[in-house]
Amino acid sequence: MRKAHHLNHRQSLIYGATLLPVNTFFKLYLRDQERNAQEQKKTEQRERPDRHP
């Protein structure tokens, strides 16, 4: 007996095909955000170097 909340084969394929591009988009978006934050940090360090006596 199947549980009511299980998807049939066709539904699971559609669900997976929908989630894949969304997941990929967010992974790439977050990677770019992290890169931008690191570049911003490096730029700030170059513009304002810490001067130690």
Side-chain angles (χ1 to χ4, degrees):
M1 182 171 187
R2 261 174 54 160
K3 294 183 180 180
H5 65 274
H6 281 211
L7 302 176
N8 65 30
H9 183 66
R10 185 177 189 161
Q11 289 170 330
S12 65
L13 289 176
I14 293 170
Y15 184 70
T18 304
L19 282 184
L20 183 62
V22 172
N23 188 30
T24 303
F25 169 79
F26 280 115
K27 283 185 178 182
L28 295 175
Y29 176 77
L30 291 175
R31 185 189 67 186
D32 289 343
Q33 292 295 312
E34 290 174 358
R35 283 183 182 174
N36 289 339
Q38 290 173 355
E39 289 177 12
Q40 183 69 26
K41 189 175 181 181
K42 287 179 184 177
T43 303
E44 288 175 358
Q45 288 176 352
R46 277 188 242 139
E47 291 175 353
R48 181 175 48 92
D50 295 333
R51 297 185 181 196
H52 298 288

